[in-house]
Amino acid sequence: MAVEPGSDASTVPKHIHEFRDPIHTFIHVSSEERDIIDSRPVQRLRHIHQLALTFMVYPGATHRRFEHSLGVMELASRIFDTVTDREHLHSDAVKGLAELTDTAKLPYWRAVVRLAALCHDIGHLPFSHAAEDRLPKGWNHERLSRELLRSEELSGLLGSITPPVRVEDVVKLAVGAKGYGEPLSMWEAILAEIITGDALGSDRIDYLLRDAHHTGVAYGRFDHYRLIECMRILPKPGTDLAEFTLGIEVGGLQSAESLLLARYLMYSQVYFHAVRRAYDCHLNDFLERWLPDGRFSTDLERHLSVTDDEILSAIAECARNDSHAAHVHAARIFSRKHFKLLRDVGSAGKDFLDAGENVYAAVCERYGADAVRRDRYFQRESVVDFPVLDRDGSTVSSLQLSSLLTRLPTVKFDYVFIDPEHLDDARIWLKAHEASIMGQSVENS
Amino acid sequence: MNEYQRKAVLAKLIGEMEESKSWCGETHIQKTVYFLTELFPGDLNLEFILYKHGPFSFDLRDVLTEMRADDLIDWRVKHASYGASCESRPMAKELIRKFAATVGEWDGRLQFVARCVSSGTVLELERLATALFILRKEELSEGEVPKRLVELKPHVNLDDARHAVSEVLDIEREAAAIAG
């Protein structure tokens, strides 16, 4: 290694650097990766909370997307190393995916996977998903991520890596097929699954472990070491096509079950926590009045300059200024005078699947729209059907082997919140009228 | 159309697919709904992109997840060597009854795509749906479409591609007659 003139031999420049991390202990990065980490889009993630205002409910949940992104990079490369290990290659995958045995190019793809994992969240708005509705029509955080990766700042850094990394390869893997909008090759689709895959992706593995750690909710923990060790690229059972996807060796099935159970429980206990969702409603009300035209800018420079810090500061300022248009909503957050859950219509039972709109409208009519909010959400990405390599060498559906996965529910909620001032009265009133309100037909509504 | 009207339409389609002896895997549902949205434009509001094996809608995947959460459908492995199939749950009939007027408007279209498309194999459905995607999204003459199909799906031979395009054109003509 060359030593620069004037430098001491004991200060040989480092080429591998490490971050301490509460989940993965050490995360190692190369100097070239560190240049990307030092870029403004990645550094901005130090100021975006992973779980929006969840820290108002779980005080420990102050972790940011920055450390999550490092964690996803670390896990993505571990998964890549496992599934491309020659000892782990399925014979059909070897025949169907030439890239798997192209040893000259595998290091390139490993670099792309790591960088895409590192950058997969750079398009997130302040408070992440909680504020995504405040983008102009046609925009979402995936589109912002695409634009940022193609920007001069990041594309220049990616191009300066040895060997240069194609920006579009990073974009494809960072946002996945859904976010890219154009066809991905089978190989690219599998690599994207390593990062953003519904069932076994590194994004999900990291956020569950990290969110569980910081919230103190133990349900989110599972044996991710065993899970990753057993991951394989496998043919999808039951198709007459050569379709390959991320799957698992049968010995890791319990750890996969454990991950998916953890996901279900974290959705129930953390992500869909009613008070957290009430804060999301207030945050959206605040942003609608605080942002110009109620929308975040899609200008990249502006995007890079707005983080949770600026918004939290504005919330505090508006909460103290009762003449500001957003004062009421800022004060709800700042003073913790959030709306209270009146009814989760999502749990009302099978006869009332579509009753949420009726309940919301009826409560609004009685108490006024300003005193009522509705928030509803279904758990997304609940794919539990992935291939499992059985002991006899056959590939079968996870649903065939796991009775737990066939029974795992999908979480949904349909919350109606109300100003705490009306809560007691509204509970009594709704109890008396609920059956008739919910039973109304909404056809043609 | 509100979201439960949309779910009622999709629940009815899945029922029609079961009637047509479709395997009813996710790919079968994806491709059949793709034909439905292209041949009979309505307000199902599902965006399709070309994915691993032809047109695929992540929106539809989300709706199917919601339908499972609502206990309208479930996934079940019917045969050890095959992937999961979708099956209607009793609640689906209730929802279809509740939105009988909406579903009634769609009935003929649903029966048509279920009959013409849904009972194919995954390989056949990939060819047909990709041919329709090219015909609708790319400005190519009918004669150029088979070659483009082979470009996109190298495992499809040119004869099969020609046959798929011809079959799609027949389906389009028949659909136009139904749409009136």
Side-chain angles (χ1 to χ4, degrees):
Chain A
M1 184 181 298
V3 178
E4 288 175 21
S7 67
D8 188 288
S10 65
T11 59
V12 173
K14 285 176 73 175
H15 292 290
I16 297 295
H17 316 272
E18 58 279 324
F19 289 88
R20 273 277 190 183
D21 181 72
I23 308 303
H24 308 301
T25 313
F26 282 105
I27 294 172
H28 295 96
V29 303
S30 69
S31 294
E32 289 169 325
E33 288 168 339
R34 195 175 66 169
D35 289 342
I36 307 283
I37 292 168
D38 285 342
S39 70
R40 290 184 304 156
V42 179
Q43 285 297 313
R44 175 179 170 274
L45 298 177
R46 287 184 187 271
H47 307 280
I48 306 289
H49 286 91
Q50 178 74 18
L51 293 178
L53 290 169
T54 301
F55 63 81
M56 301 291 280
V57 182
Y58 294 95
T62 55
H63 53 303
R64 314 300 171 104
R65 291 211 167 249
F66 178 75
E67 51 264 37
H68 163 65
S69 300
L70 292 172
V72 177
M73 178 173 71
E74 170 68 19
L75 291 177
S77 49
R78 286 190 208 168
I79 296 172
F80 181 92
D81 291 343
T82 302
V83 300
T84 58
D85 185 326
R86 291 179 70 85
E87 296 294 316
H88 297 158
L89 302 185
H90 189 278
S91 55
D92 289 350
V94 170
K95 283 181 218 154
L97 289 166
E99 294 91 340
L100 264 179
T101 48
D102 188 345
T103 50
K105 286 192 183 158
L106 280 176
Y108 170 80
W109 286 113
R110 187 180 192 275
V112 174
V113 165
R114 283 178 61 81
L115 291 167
L118 175 66
C119 297
H120 80 285
D121 269 352
I122 56 175
H124 265 297
L125 294 163
F127 300 102
S128 307
H129 298 283
E132 187 123 348
D133 289 346
R134 303 250 67 88
L135 273 172
K137 199 176 176 195
W139 284 83
N140 52 28
H141 78 268
E142 283 99 350
R143 183 168 172 193
L144 281 164
S145 295
R146 291 197 313 255
E147 301 290 326
L148 283 165
L149 280 164
R150 290 168 181 153
S151 69
E152 202 173 317
E153 180 169 1
L154 279 182
S155 66
L157 286 169
L158 292 168
S160 67
I161 289 173
T162 311
V165 169
R166 288 187 293 269
V167 175
E168 282 311 295
D169 288 341
V170 179
V171 175
K172 286 174 186 173
L173 304 198
V175 300
K178 185 181 181 184
Y180 195 63
E182 288 179 38
L184 267 56
S185 70
M186 183 74 73
W187 175 246
E188 291 164 346
I190 291 167
L191 296 185
E193 276 176 35
I194 288 177
I195 301 166
T196 56
D198 283 354
L200 306 170
S202 53
D203 180 23
R204 168 153 299 120
I205 296 173
D206 187 85
Y207 79 61
L208 286 172
L209 294 170
R210 197 170 296 278
D211 295 346
H213 174 85
H214 286 282
T215 55
V217 175
Y219 310 126
R221 295 180 193 147
F222 53 92
D223 184 359
H224 69 289
Y225 297 104
R226 174 72 165 157
L227 177 72
I228 292 175
E229 192 59 30
C230 292
M231 283 191 195
R232 303 286 183 269
I233 294 172
L234 298 172
K236 198 169 176 182
T239 62
D240 42 10
L241 303 157
E243 178 173 353
F244 300 97
T245 189
L246 215 52
I248 200 153
E249 214 177 58
V250 71
L253 184 57
Q254 284 72 29
S255 49
E257 288 177 333
S258 171
L259 175 149
L260 294 163
L261 186 60
R263 183 179 65 175
Y264 166 73
L265 294 169
M266 286 295 282
Y267 266 95
S268 311
Q269 292 292 312
V270 178
Y271 308 133
F272 290 175
H273 190 289
V275 176
R276 179 250 154 103
R277 302 301 299 201
Y279 276 117
D280 284 356
C281 293
H282 296 311
L283 178 65
N284 258 299
D285 286 341
F286 169 78
L287 291 171
E288 187 178 357
R289 286 151 187 88
W290 183 76
L291 290 166
D293 300 323
R295 291 280 176 264
F296 280 108
S297 170
T298 55
D299 174 77
L300 296 186
E301 284 302 317
R302 183 74 190 132
H303 171 78
L304 290 174
S305 69
V306 183
T307 69
D308 292 10
D309 297 350
E310 285 73 30
I311 309 283
L312 283 171
S313 173
I315 288 171
E317 193 181 318
C318 292
R320 287 189 287 262
N321 176 4
D322 59 11
S323 64
H324 195 286
H327 167 73
V328 173
H329 308 289
R332 293 248 175 236
I333 300 169
F334 195 70
S335 309
R336 297 181 294 111
K337 299 273 192 266
H338 59 84
F339 280 14
K340 300 287 175 87
L341 180 64
L342 174 62
R343 184 75 164 96
D344 175 9
V345 190
S347 64
K350 294 175 180 179
D351 295 336
F352 304 114
L353 283 183
D354 58 337
E357 186 59 40
N358 289 346
V359 173
Y360 173 65
V363 180
C364 279
E365 192 178 330
R366 182 169 172 85
Y367 296 98
D370 284 347
V372 188
R373 290 290 177 274
R374 182 185 180 205
D375 186 25
R376 61 191 305 273
Y377 200 82
F378 284 83
Q379 177 187 340
R380 303 282 181 205
E381 306 150 346
S382 70
V383 173
V384 293
D385 181 14
F386 51 85
V388 180
L389 182 63
D390 212 346
R391 290 188 177 83
D392 63 1
S394 63
T395 309
V396 295
S397 163
S398 53
L399 295 177
Q400 172 72 19
L401 294 179
S402 168
S403 52
L404 186 145
L405 294 184
T406 58
R407 291 179 175 84
L408 198 60
T410 303
V411 185
K412 64 170 183 173
F413 72 85
D414 189 350
Y415 294 150
V416 176
F417 295 108
I418 194 157
D419 186 329
E421 188 184 313
H422 301 300
L423 182 64
D424 293 340
D425 182 69
R427 277 185 176 152
I428 295 165
W429 176 81
L430 186 59
K431 198 171 179 184
H433 298 88
E434 189 170 86
S436 63
I437 293 169
M438 286 189 171
Q440 289 166 10
S441 170
V442 293
E443 176 128 41
N444 304 319
S445 62
Chain B
M1 181 183 286
N2 71 30
E3 65 176 297
Y4 277 97
Q5 287 170 306
R6 177 165 77 167
K7 287 177 187 174
V9 169
L10 292 172
K12 176 71 172 164
L13 176 63
I14 290 165
E16 294 292 344
M17 290 173 67
E18 288 168 330
E19 289 283 310
S20 298
K21 307 293 179 211
S22 166
W23 181 259
C24 257
E26 187 185 10
T27 306
H28 300 78
I29 298 172
Q30 284 278 350
K31 306 310 180 214
T32 306
V33 174
Y34 178 64
F35 268 84
L36 180 68
T37 58
E38 285 292 348
L39 299 177
F40 307 105
D43 47 2
L44 285 179
N45 202 16
L46 300 166
E47 190 182 334
F48 282 82
I49 61 165
L50 271 189
Y51 193 44
K52 287 182 185 172
H53 292 300
F56 183 92
S57 169
F58 286 92
D59 299 333
L60 176 58
R61 173 173 274 183
D62 285 343
V63 177
L64 293 172
T65 302
E66 290 185 16
M67 290 175 71
R68 182 170 179 266
D70 286 332
D71 200 26
L72 298 168
I73 59 168
D74 205 355
W75 297 99
R76 191 167 67 88
V77 177
K78 293 193 260 187
H79 189 286
S81 306
Y82 293 90
S85 299
C86 180
E87 63 178 19
S88 300
R89 304 276 299 145
M91 189 64 204
K93 279 189 183 156
E94 295 297 318
L95 190 71
I96 291 166
R97 194 173 303 135
K98 191 165 190 174
F99 293 108
T102 305
V103 173
E105 289 171 25
W106 284 76
D107 233 1
R109 293 172 262 176
L110 302 179
Q111 285 170 13
F112 175 76
V113 289
R115 174 172 57 81
C116 291
V117 182
S118 74
S119 57
T121 66
V122 172
L123 193 54
E124 289 163 350
L125 294 181
E126 180 197 33
R127 283 199 297 263
L128 291 176
T130 309
L132 180 62
F133 191 93
I134 298 166
L135 282 163
R136 295 292 172 112
K137 307 285 183 209
E138 300 192 13
E139 290 177 2
L140 297 173
S141 68
E142 283 177 18
E144 292 171 308
V145 175
K147 198 175 155 200
R148 176 67 178 142
L149 177 52
V150 174
E151 262 174 37
L152 287 171
K153 304 286 165 195
H155 57 277
V156 176
N157 69 49
L158 194 57
D159 279 346
D160 285 345
R162 286 197 189 104
H163 185 73
V165 173
S166 161
E167 199 175 330
V168 167
L169 292 170
D170 287 344
I171 292 171
E172 279 187 316
R173 277 189 283 274
E174 210 179 324
I178 289 174

